[in-house]
Amino acid sequence: MENIRLSRDTYQLIERAVTALECIGRELERYNDRHERTAGKDTDETNPSES
């Protein structure tokens, strides 16, 4: 019975971790989009390190 509980707890932990990673991914996309927009306004280059 304890193995079933551990398995359920493990599943819930993994589920929460995946949800957190999805949220982090969305925030990173928003950050990158915002950074690209502001970089385009400041200069003609979107990535100055490439020149």
Side-chain angles (χ1 to χ4, degrees):
M1 189 67 177
E2 190 171 323
N3 288 339
I4 293 172
R5 190 172 308 127
L6 178 63
S7 177
R8 186 180 309 131
D9 291 343
T10 303
Y11 174 79
Q12 289 174 344
L13 180 63
I14 292 169
E15 190 175 39
R16 282 189 223 127
V18 168
T19 301
L21 287 171
E22 289 171 343
C23 289
I24 290 169
R26 283 191 297 271
E27 288 299 316
L28 283 172
E29 285 179 10
R30 288 177 56 204
Y31 173 82
N32 286 335
D33 290 346
R34 196 173 331 125
H35 180 72
E36 287 175 1
R37 281 195 304 270
T38 57
K41 289 178 183 175
D42 294 341
T43 178
D44 291 340
E45 299 178 19
T46 55
N47 193 353
S49 63
E50 289 181 355
S51 15

Coordinates of all heavy atoms in Angstrom, one line a residue:
M1 N 0.8 -1.2 0.0 CA 0.0 0.0 0.0 C 0.9 1.3 0.0 O 0.5 2.2 -0.6 CB -0.9 0.0 1.2 CG -2.0 1.0 1.2 SD -3.1 0.7 -0.2 CE -4.2 2.0 0.0
E2 N 2.0 1.2 0.7 CA 2.9 2.4 0.8 C 3.5 2.7 -0.6 O 3.7 3.8 -1.0 CB 4.0 2.2 1.8 CG 4.8 3.4 2.1 CD 5.7 3.3 3.2 OE1 5.3 2.6 4.2 OE2 6.8 3.8 3.1
N3 N 3.7 1.6 -1.4 CA 4.3 1.8 -2.7 C 3.3 2.6 -3.6 O 3.7 3.4 -4.4 CB 4.6 0.5 -3.4 CG 5.8 -0.2 -2.8 OD1 6.6 0.5 -2.2 ND2 5.9 -1.5 -2.9
I4 N 2.0 2.3 -3.5 CA 1.0 3.0 -4.2 C 1.0 4.5 -3.8 O 0.9 5.4 -4.7 CB -0.4 2.4 -4.0 CG1 -0.4 1.0 -4.6 CG2 -1.5 3.2 -4.6 CD1 -1.7 0.2 -4.3
R5 N 1.0 4.8 -2.5 CA 1.0 6.1 -2.1 C 2.3 6.9 -2.6 O 2.2 8.0 -3.0 CB 1.0 6.2 -0.5 CG 0.7 7.6 0.0 CD 0.5 7.6 1.5 NE -0.6 6.7 1.9 CZ -0.4 5.7 2.8 NH1 0.7 5.6 3.5 NH2 -1.4 4.9 3.1
L6 N 3.4 6.2 -2.5 CA 4.7 6.8 -3.0 C 4.6 7.1 -4.5 O 4.9 8.1 -5.0 CB 5.9 5.9 -2.7 CG 7.2 6.4 -3.2 CD1 7.6 7.7 -2.5 CD2 8.3 5.3 -3.0
S7 N 4.0 6.1 -5.2 CA 3.8 6.3 -6.6 C 2.9 7.5 -6.9 O 3.2 8.3 -7.8 CB 3.3 5.0 -7.3 OG 3.0 5.2 -8.6
R8 N 1.8 7.6 -6.2 CA 0.9 8.8 -6.4 C 1.6 10.1 -6.1 O 1.5 11.1 -6.8 CB -0.3 8.6 -5.6 CG -1.4 9.6 -5.8 CD -2.6 9.5 -5.0 NE -3.1 8.1 -5.1 CZ -3.5 7.4 -4.0 NH1 -3.4 7.9 -2.8 NH2 -3.9 6.2 -4.2
D9 N 2.4 10.1 -4.9 CA 3.1 11.3 -4.6 C 4.1 11.7 -5.6 O 4.3 12.8 -5.9 CB 3.8 11.1 -3.2 CG 2.8 11.0 -2.0 OD1 1.6 11.4 -2.2 OD2 3.2 10.5 -1.0
T10 N 4.8 10.6 -6.1 CA 5.8 10.9 -7.1 C 5.2 11.5 -8.4 O 5.7 12.4 -9.0 CB 6.6 9.6 -7.5 OG1 7.2 9.1 -6.3 CG2 7.6 9.8 -8.5
Y11 N 4.0 10.9 -8.8 CA 3.3 11.4 -10.0 C 2.9 12.9 -9.8 O 3.1 13.7 -10.6 CB 2.1 10.5 -10.2 CG 1.2 11.1 -11.3 CD1 1.6 10.9 -12.7 CD2 0.1 11.8 -11.0 CE1 0.8 11.4 -13.7 CE2 -0.7 12.3 -12.0 CZ -0.4 12.1 -13.4 OH -1.1 12.7 -14.4
Q12 N 2.4 13.2 -8.6 CA 2.0 14.5 -8.3 C 3.1 15.5 -8.3 O 3.0 16.6 -8.8 CB 1.2 14.6 -7.0 CG -0.1 14.0 -7.0 CD -0.8 13.9 -5.7 OE1 -0.2 14.1 -4.6 NE2 -2.1 13.6 -5.7
L13 N 4.3 15.1 -7.8 CA 5.5 15.9 -7.8 C 5.9 16.2 -9.2 O 6.2 17.3 -9.6 CB 6.6 15.2 -7.0 CG 7.9 16.0 -6.9 CD1 7.7 17.3 -6.2 CD2 8.9 15.1 -6.2
I14 N 5.9 15.1 -10.0 CA 6.3 15.3 -11.5 C 5.3 16.2 -12.2 O 5.7 17.1 -13.0 CB 6.4 13.9 -12.1 CG1 7.6 13.2 -11.6 CG2 6.6 14.1 -13.6 CD1 7.7 11.7 -12.0
E15 N 4.1 16.0 -11.9 CA 3.0 16.9 -12.5 C 3.2 18.3 -12.2 O 3.2 19.2 -13.0 CB 1.7 16.4 -12.1 CG 0.5 17.0 -12.8 CD -0.8 16.4 -12.4 OE1 -1.0 16.1 -11.2 OE2 -1.6 16.2 -13.3
R16 N 3.5 18.6 -10.9 CA 3.8 20.0 -10.5 C 5.0 20.6 -11.1 O 5.1 21.7 -11.5 CB 3.9 20.1 -9.0 CG 2.5 20.0 -8.3 CD 2.7 20.3 -6.8 NE 1.8 19.4 -6.1 CZ 2.2 18.6 -5.1 NH1 3.4 18.6 -4.7 NH2 1.4 17.7 -4.6
A17 N 6.1 19.7 -11.2 CA 7.3 20.2 -11.8 C 7.1 20.5 -13.3 O 7.6 21.5 -13.8 CB 8.4 19.1 -11.7
V18 N 6.3 19.7 -14.0 CA 6.0 20.0 -15.4 C 5.3 21.3 -15.6 O 5.6 22.1 -16.4 CB 5.3 18.8 -16.1 CG1 4.7 19.1 -17.4 CG2 6.2 17.6 -16.2
T19 N 4.3 21.5 -14.7 CA 3.5 22.7 -14.7 C 4.4 23.9 -14.5 O 4.3 24.9 -15.2 CB 2.4 22.6 -13.7 OG1 1.5 21.5 -14.0 CG2 1.5 23.9 -13.7
A20 N 5.3 23.8 -13.5 CA 6.2 24.9 -13.2 C 7.1 25.2 -14.4 O 7.3 26.3 -14.8 CB 7.0 24.6 -12.0
L21 N 7.6 24.1 -15.1 CA 8.5 24.3 -16.2 C 7.7 25.0 -17.4 O 8.3 25.8 -18.1 CB 9.1 23.0 -16.7 CG 10.2 22.4 -15.7 CD1 10.6 21.0 -16.2 CD2 11.4 23.3 -15.7
E22 N 6.5 24.6 -17.6 CA 5.7 25.3 -18.6 C 5.5 26.7 -18.3 O 5.6 27.6 -19.2 CB 4.3 24.6 -18.7 CG 4.4 23.2 -19.3 CD 3.0 22.4 -19.2 OE1 2.1 22.9 -18.4 OE2 2.9 21.5 -19.9
C23 N 5.2 27.1 -17.1 CA 5.1 28.5 -16.7 C 6.4 29.3 -16.9 O 6.4 30.4 -17.4 CB 4.7 28.6 -15.2 SG 3.0 28.1 -14.9
I24 N 7.5 28.6 -16.5 CA 8.8 29.3 -16.7 C 9.1 29.5 -18.2 O 9.6 30.5 -18.6 CB 10.0 28.4 -16.1 CG1 9.8 28.5 -14.6 CG2 11.3 28.8 -16.6 CD1 10.7 27.4 -13.9
G25 N 8.7 28.5 -19.0 CA 8.9 28.6 -20.5 C 8.1 29.7 -21.1 O 8.6 30.5 -21.9
R26 N 6.9 29.9 -20.6 CA 6.0 31.0 -21.1 C 6.6 32.3 -20.7 O 6.6 33.3 -21.5 CB 4.6 30.9 -20.6 CG 3.8 29.8 -21.3 CD 2.3 29.9 -21.0 NE 2.0 29.6 -19.6 CZ 1.8 28.4 -19.1 NH1 1.8 27.4 -19.9 NH2 1.5 28.3 -17.8
E27 N 7.1 32.4 -19.5 CA 7.7 33.7 -19.0 C 9.0 34.0 -19.8 O 9.2 35.2 -20.1 CB 8.0 33.6 -17.5 CG 6.8 33.7 -16.6 CD 6.0 35.0 -16.8 OE1 6.6 36.1 -16.9 OE2 4.7 34.9 -16.9
L28 N 9.8 33.0 -20.1 CA 11.0 33.2 -20.9 C 10.6 33.7 -22.3 O 11.3 34.6 -22.8 CB 11.8 32.0 -20.9 CG 12.6 31.6 -19.7 CD1 13.3 30.3 -19.8 CD2 13.7 32.7 -19.4
E29 N 9.6 33.2 -22.9 CA 9.2 33.6 -24.2 C 8.7 35.1 -24.1 O 9.1 35.8 -25.0 CB 8.0 32.7 -24.7 CG 8.5 31.4 -25.2 CD 7.3 30.5 -25.7 OE1 6.2 31.0 -25.8 OE2 7.5 29.3 -25.9
R30 N 8.0 35.4 -23.1 CA 7.5 36.8 -23.0 C 8.7 37.7 -22.8 O 8.8 38.8 -23.4 CB 6.6 36.9 -21.8 CG 5.2 36.3 -22.1 CD 4.3 36.4 -20.9 NE 4.2 37.8 -20.4 CZ 3.8 38.1 -19.2 NH1 3.6 37.2 -18.2 NH2 3.7 39.4 -18.8
Y31 N 9.7 37.3 -22.0 CA 10.9 38.1 -21.7 C 11.6 38.3 -23.0 O 12.1 39.4 -23.3 CB 11.7 37.4 -20.7 CG 13.1 38.1 -20.5 CD1 13.2 39.2 -19.7 CD2 14.2 37.7 -21.1 CE1 14.4 39.9 -19.5 CE2 15.4 38.3 -21.0 CZ 15.5 39.4 -20.2 OH 16.7 40.0 -20.0
N32 N 11.9 37.2 -23.8 CA 12.6 37.3 -25.0 C 11.9 38.2 -26.0 O 12.5 39.0 -26.7 CB 12.8 35.9 -25.6 CG 13.9 35.1 -24.8 OD1 14.7 35.7 -24.2 ND2 13.8 33.8 -24.9
D33 N 10.6 38.0 -26.1 CA 9.8 38.9 -27.1 C 10.0 40.4 -26.7 O 10.2 41.2 -27.5 CB 8.3 38.5 -27.0 CG 8.1 37.1 -27.7 OD1 9.0 36.6 -28.4 OD2 7.0 36.6 -27.5
R34 N 9.9 40.7 -25.4 CA 10.0 42.0 -24.9 C 11.4 42.6 -25.2 O 11.6 43.7 -25.6 CB 9.7 42.1 -23.4 CG 9.4 43.4 -22.9 CD 8.9 43.4 -21.4 NE 8.2 42.2 -21.0 CZ 8.6 41.4 -20.0 NH1 9.6 41.8 -19.3 NH2 7.9 40.4 -19.7
H35 N 12.4 41.7 -24.9 CA 13.8 42.1 -25.2 C 14.0 42.4 -26.7 O 14.7 43.3 -27.0 CB 14.7 41.0 -24.7 CG 16.2 41.3 -24.9 ND1 16.8 42.3 -24.1 CD2 17.1 40.8 -25.7 CE1 18.1 42.3 -24.5 NE2 18.3 41.5 -25.5
E36 N 13.5 41.5 -27.5 CA 13.7 41.7 -29.0 C 13.0 43.0 -29.4 O 13.6 43.8 -30.2 CB 13.1 40.6 -29.7 CG 14.0 39.3 -29.6 CD 13.3 38.1 -30.3 OE1 12.2 38.3 -30.9 OE2 13.9 37.0 -30.2
R37 N 11.8 43.3 -28.9 CA 11.2 44.6 -29.3 C 11.9 45.8 -28.8 O 12.1 46.7 -29.6 CB 9.8 44.6 -28.7 CG 8.7 43.8 -29.4 CD 7.3 44.1 -29.0 NE 7.1 44.0 -27.6 CZ 6.7 43.0 -27.0 NH1 6.4 41.9 -27.6 NH2 6.5 43.0 -25.7
T38 N 12.4 45.8 -27.6 CA 13.2 46.9 -27.1 C 14.5 47.0 -27.8 O 15.0 48.1 -28.0 CB 13.4 46.9 -25.6 OG1 14.0 45.7 -25.2 CG2 12.0 47.0 -24.8
A39 N 15.2 45.9 -28.1 CA 16.5 46.0 -28.8 C 16.3 46.5 -30.2 O 17.1 47.3 -30.7 CB 17.1 44.6 -28.8
G40 N 15.2 46.2 -30.8 CA 14.9 46.7 -32.2 C 14.6 48.2 -32.1 O 15.0 48.9 -33.1
K41 N 14.1 48.8 -31.1 CA 13.8 50.2 -31.0 C 15.1 51.0 -30.7 O 15.3 52.1 -31.1 CB 12.8 50.5 -29.8 CG 11.4 50.0 -30.2 CD 10.5 50.3 -29.0 CE 9.1 49.8 -29.4 NZ 8.2 49.9 -28.2
D42 N 16.0 50.4 -29.8 CA 17.2 51.1 -29.4 C 18.2 51.1 -30.6 O 19.0 52.1 -30.7 CB 17.9 50.4 -28.2 CG 17.0 50.5 -27.0 OD1 16.1 51.4 -27.0 OD2 17.2 49.7 -26.1
T43 N 18.3 50.1 -31.4 CA 19.3 50.0 -32.4 C 18.7 49.2 -33.6 O 17.7 48.5 -33.4 CB 20.6 49.4 -31.9 OG1 21.5 49.3 -33.0 CG2 20.4 48.0 -31.4
D44 N 19.3 49.2 -34.7 CA 18.8 48.4 -35.8 C 19.1 46.9 -35.7 O 18.6 46.1 -36.4 CB 19.4 48.9 -37.2 CG 18.9 50.3 -37.5 OD1 17.8 50.6 -37.0 OD2 19.5 51.0 -38.3
E45 N 20.1 46.6 -34.8 CA 20.5 45.2 -34.6 C 19.6 44.6 -33.5 O 19.4 45.2 -32.5 CB 21.9 45.2 -34.2 CG 22.9 45.7 -35.2 CD 24.3 45.7 -34.7 OE1 24.6 44.9 -33.8 OE2 25.1 46.4 -35.2
T46 N 19.2 43.4 -33.7 CA 18.4 42.7 -32.7 C 19.4 41.9 -31.8 O 19.0 41.6 -30.6 CB 17.4 41.7 -33.3 OG1 18.1 40.8 -34.1 CG2 16.3 42.4 -34.0
N47 N 20.6 41.6 -32.2 CA 21.5 40.9 -31.4 C 22.9 41.5 -31.7 O 23.6 41.0 -32.5 CB 21.5 39.4 -31.7 CG 22.3 38.6 -30.6 OD1 22.9 39.2 -29.8 ND2 22.2 37.3 -30.7
P48 N 23.3 42.5 -30.9 CA 24.6 43.2 -31.2 C 25.8 42.2 -31.0 O 26.8 42.5 -31.6 CB 24.6 44.3 -30.1 CG 23.4 44.3 -29.4 CD 22.6 43.0 -29.8
S49 N 25.7 41.2 -30.3 CA 26.9 40.3 -30.1 C 27.2 39.5 -31.4 O 28.3 39.0 -31.5 CB 26.6 39.3 -29.0 OG 25.5 38.5 -29.3
E50 N 26.3 39.5 -32.4 CA 26.6 38.8 -33.6 C 27.5 39.6 -34.6 O 28.1 39.1 -35.5 CB 25.3 38.4 -34.3 CG 24.5 37.3 -33.6 CD 23.3 36.9 -34.3 OE1 23.0 37.6 -35.4 OE2 22.6 36.0 -33.9
S51 N 27.6 40.9 -34.4 CA 28.4 41.7 -35.4 C 29.8 41.7 -35.0 O 30.3 41.4 -34.1 CB 27.9 43.1 -35.4 OG 27.1 43.6 -34.4

